[in-house]
Amino acid sequence: MFKRDDIKVVSLKYESYSDVKLAFDTLAYQVAKAIGERATVFKGNVDQVIHADRLSYNKTLTPLFQPYVD
């Protein structure tokens, strides 16, 4: 199974491996989609979103979904 820091190692390969890029882009889209689904429930009255899990510290993933939800 995966170890604690495997996401860091994989994210370093984002630019050089198309499979890693596809996986990260897909994950970013899914996160943005989930945020949008929740915003609909609140009728768009959302001031901020707190992304609080281990992936929120990833410097590759977070900038990928920010343009979708800004």
Side-chain angles (χ1 to χ4, degrees):
M1 205 49 151
F2 293 108
K3 296 182 181 137
R4 181 177 176 157
D5 293 328
D6 284 348
I7 192 72
K8 289 180 186 177
V9 174
V10 172
S11 67
L12 294 174
K13 300 175 182 180
Y14 176 77
E15 294 296 331
S16 52
Y17 290 92
S18 62
D19 291 343
V20 173
K21 184 171 179 15
L22 177 64
F24 269 79
D25 290 345
T26 303
L27 181 58
Y29 176 78
Q30 291 297 325
V31 169
K33 187 172 137 184
I35 292 170
E37 290 169 352
R38 272 58 173 194
T40 303
V41 172
F42 293 112
K43 298 179 183 172
N45 295 324
V46 179
D47 293 329
Q48 57 182 247
V49 174
I50 299 173
H51 183 216
D53 64 0
R54 285 198 58 62
L55 291 176
S56 64
Y57 298 105
N58 189 281
K59 293 181 174 124
T60 304
L61 181 63
T62 304
L64 291 175
F65 72 81
Q66 276 180 329
Y68 289 104
V69 296
D70 275 345

